[in-house]
Amino acid sequence: MEFSDLIRTGRAQAKLLRGPEAPPLRGTLCLTGHHLLLSPGPQATSELWLLLLRSVDSIEKRVASDSGTITLRCKDLRVLQLEIEGVEASLDIARSIEALSSLESVITSFPFFYRPKGLRLGDAWHFHPPERYYKRVARETNAWRLSEVNEDFSVCPSYPRAVIVPRSVDDGALARSARFRQGGRFPVLSYHHAPSGTVLVRSSQPLTGPQKRRCAEDEELLRAVLAGARPGARGFIVDTRSSQAAKQARMTGGGTEAKTAYPGWKRLHRPLERGQPLQESFVRLVEACGDPQQSTDSWLCRLEGCCWLAHVKEALSTACLAAQGMEREGACILVHGAEGTDSTLLVTSLAQLILDPLSRTMAGFQELVEREWIQAGHPFQLRCAHSAFSHARPKHEAPTFLLFLDCVWQLGRQFPLSLEFGEGLLLALFEHAYASPFGTFLCNSEKERCLCEVRTRTHSLWSGLNQPKEQRKLRNPLYAPNPLAIWPSVELQSLRLWQGLFLRWIRPPEPSEVAWEKVWQIVTDKEKTKLSQPTVSASEPQL
């Protein structure tokens, strides 16, 4: 089907209301296959307004005698209102937006048509391959190797082509272990902690079932994990399900690692919410934030009732548990829940931020997101199909990646000098995960991205974010490298609502945001002063 077949009315006169802080725009509204545009006209001082249709989460329409009003609720939490001349034109435009914003075909999405100036196709896709992190691991230990057992994605459709595994385990054993794990997600290396010689490993649940099945190759794989660490190392299995949920999973073919089959490993249950309950928590929080008429008591009650900050607390607590096990207990950590594509990745990525100074740099954090979320098989297309405003009943949607970004923001707030990036990068990642002109967050796995030729036909988000003009908005001007682990306080009194995301379209900029710009100006002026000062020779007398 052509885009033109879905556009009932392509042009109308309209007024755009963008929120309490932005002045209204009047002009000609135009609809294309991927965008909604409003041109203020040749006499206006404002620029062309542009909205990617993929970012529309829900549409509400009302009509009067000779006009109509369309309310667009966006995935980035903006609420826009269009007042359009003509009832028929209003209804036609609303129906067209509904159709074009919900196209399911990946290859018809805007990233396959986006060709920005200054960027070339293929740029930055090579920045973060699995081989790059393996080279770092290989400099620290020879106990691990890079395996291409999944080169054609036949062993595990949600893993990348290459994974890091114990050197002593051959590819045949890996394939048999994969058949014993849900979705084929056998244990692979997530992070090597050089100071303690221990590792962080992730997988999906074992398929023990009611018969308590075993797999010799899977048991061999986890023995090899301990053998490759320091002598006498033990292991903890952090299961992100409750013990009751794990027992129920066993009755349907899943399960847990039996103590007798995996000596040296101890299982810990740290349940993390996922799926529909997490999505509903997100929806309730956004609803509370969007109600300006409520009293303070009502606001505090609704904030507590949505449980979002409780989810932040549990995610950070579990990540701290995994990190402490490695650094302070000298233990290896295996993290999994059921599928291993949601809460598992949340824990492993946060644990690395806590322990690894390189993950807290701009380049290191981008690599962490690429390696632990995108390449690791988080199903972005399913989880981010809708944000908080959709009227459709949630199917696969869940804001797990947003929860990760919120946890990172909490770390940055508690350790303001330790992250090289600021809130701007986190906001950008949130927006691009839900709707983006770049191809980085398309599809649900590397296999799907390969089938859709995403790497050769779309631009990488990293190439866009790493442009010099973008860096000022993304970097932390106060950054000072911190070689130590950063241990956050996870008490609810220490956690804050991320106002920069949940309230940014509702209230005016906070003084802290204005101060951020002033700090940048001070740092920039200081650097210019240093460059302009003549250097003093060591032989010259100094006053």
Side-chain angles (χ1 to χ4, degrees), residues 2-42:
E2 298 290 335
F3 291 128
S4 58
D5 297 335
L6 301 176
I7 301 175
R8 297 167 178 255
T9 296
R11 181 174 300 186
Q13 295 302 305
K15 180 173 75 171
L16 171 67
L17 304 176
R18 296 175 290 173
E21 298 301 317
L25 288 179
R26 296 178 184 272
T28 302
L29 185 72
C30 299
L31 192 63
T32 72
H34 295 110
H35 289 94
L36 194 63
L37 305 90
L38 193 138
S39 175

Side-chain angles (χ1 to χ4, degrees), residues 142-154:
N142 64 353
W144 298 79
R145 68 182 179 91
L146 190 70
S147 170
E148 295 184 349
V149 66
N150 198 45
E151 185 177 11
D152 59 356
F153 304 108
S154 61

